[in-house]
Amino acid sequence: MKRIADELRQADVGKVWTNEPLANHTTWRIGGPADLLIQPKDKSALLTALNIIRRHEIPWSVIGRGSNLLVRDGGIRGAVLKVAEGLSHCEFRGEEVRVGAGYSMIRLATETGKMGLTGMEFAGGIPGTVGGAVYMNAGAHGSDLSRIIKDAEILFDDGEVVVLSNEELNFSYRTSLLQERKGIVLEARFGLRQGDRKEIAATLAANKDRRRLTQPLQMPCAGSVFRNPPGDHAGRLIEAAGLKGFHIGGAQVSELHANFIVNRGGATAADVLTLITHIRCTIQEKFGVEMHPEVLVVGEG
């Protein structure tokens, strides 16, 4: 792997690490090492890096800010591409905005509001990047990405770069085509509407205050752990089961919001996975409801 890392550095693709703990790159502060971690400096560098990886026939995966992600304690074999600052451009054209996959969703919601564009307010508390949000069809406050995205440029595993429309991305609740076909979001184009700047700012501020009061933002976490069951809320069920504050090792059900699991110090991925299983079994036993995790689990045990 060192030889491939040297080749990537010689190609000047950006930052390159070997045997890098992914706990340093996830919001849960959990995760074993990646054999090779690459943070491309721009879109061209990403294409170059993927070509080198494919030529050496090593497996690869992709992360953004590391929210909504649990990396197992054994880490990830092969190469991990971190789509971050190098793909964080943002361009406004009337009521449209074209954004790089590494751009922060929270920052995007703020910037569109400043431009007097409405439709992105729901994203003011989504901690990930645009690329991750497209992958997961991220949403909050009764809306999601599928309602505003026009299309996205995708780099697929075979090296093909394709622009896919909203319909072709095959969105549904917290899912997209990218969970079926391996690819990397390069950028996305959103269609918004003109709105009142004061009203948009007020909505963003109200959502921020609500998050501050109800979510454990001061502790390492990954966002909501479970999808909401039809007609109900995961947090309500977990709280009703008496699991608020329950912990296994360093992983604890948040005392603020029961659909968050926090790292209270020294948590391992095994702790989180055991706690997730306990929650699922308890909810099934008490309420007959099957809970489905929203967080993506990757890597080796």
Side-chain angles (χ1 to χ4, degrees), residues 8 11-14 38-54 60-63 80-84 86-87 101-102 153-156 159 161 183-187:
L8 288 160
D12 192 25
V13 299
I38 308 154
Q39 184 174 311
K41 64 180 183 180
D42 54 30
K43 178 177 167 181
S44 176
L46 173 56
L47 295 170
T48 299
L50 187 59
N51 284 335
I52 292 172
I53 291 166
R54 292 178 65 245
W60 63 271
S61 53
V62 61
I63 64 171
V80 176
L81 292 156
K82 182 177 180 179
V83 178
L87 281 83
E153 185 180 40
I154 313 294
L155 169 62
F156 283 110
V161 177
I184 303 173
V185 179
L186 298 177
E187 68 174 27

Side-chain angles (χ1 to χ4, degrees), residues 38-241:
I38 308 154
Q39 184 174 311
K41 64 180 183 180
D42 54 30
K43 178 177 167 181
S44 176
L46 173 56
L47 295 170
T48 299
L50 187 59
N51 284 335
I52 292 172
I53 291 166
R54 292 178 65 245
R55 188 170 70 249
H56 287 283
E57 298 183 339
I58 61 174
W60 63 271
S61 53
V62 61
I63 64 171
R65 283 193 61 222
S67 62
N68 206 53
L69 178 70
L70 179 64
V71 179
R72 291 188 175 97
D73 301 311
I76 300 179
R77 304 288 70 79
V80 176
L81 292 156
K82 182 177 180 179
V83 178
E85 290 83 1
L87 281 83
S88 58
H89 56 280
C90 181
E91 179 185 359
F92 288 91
R93 293 181 180 176
E95 295 183 344
E96 288 186 2
V97 56
R98 188 180 299 274
V99 196
Y103 205 85
S104 159
M105 286 295 291
I106 293 175
R107 182 181 175 190
L108 181 60
T110 302
E111 293 301 317
T112 55
K114 288 179 180 177
M115 297 290 291
L117 296 174
T118 185
M120 189 70 73
E121 291 90 329
F122 75 92
I126 294 175
T129 58
V130 167
V134 173
Y135 178 89
M136 288 296 299
N137 186 23
H141 306 293
S143 190
D144 59 38
L145 216 70
S146 70
R147 303 192 186 194
I148 56 171
I149 189 169
K150 288 195 166 184
D151 52 46
E153 185 180 40
I154 313 294
L155 169 62
F156 283 110
D157 190 23
D158 59 4
E160 182 183 20
V161 177
V162 180
V163 176
L164 297 180
S165 67
N166 183 310
E167 294 75 18
E168 291 170 322
L169 286 163
N170 196 25
F171 290 117
S172 58
Y173 179 63
R174 301 297 179 267
T175 61
S176 73
L177 171 72
L178 294 171
Q179 295 177 33
E180 303 168 9
R181 185 180 175 189
K182 188 175 182 180
I184 303 173
V185 179
L186 298 177
E187 68 174 27
R189 185 168 61 104
F190 300 106
L192 305 174
R193 307 180 308 280
Q194 289 295 327
D196 183 275
R197 283 181 172 83
K198 290 184 178 179
E199 290 182 4
I200 296 169
T203 300
L204 287 170
N207 289 344
K208 182 178 180 179
D209 287 342
R210 180 183 175 189
R211 290 194 308 276
R212 181 175 54 81
L213 294 172
T214 62
Q215 296 180 10
L217 303 179
Q218 303 306 314
M219 300 184 73
C221 62
S224 297
V225 174
F226 293 97
R227 301 179 182 189
N228 287 325
D232 209 335
H233 291 88
R236 188 200 72 79
L237 287 168
I238 298 167
E239 183 172 356

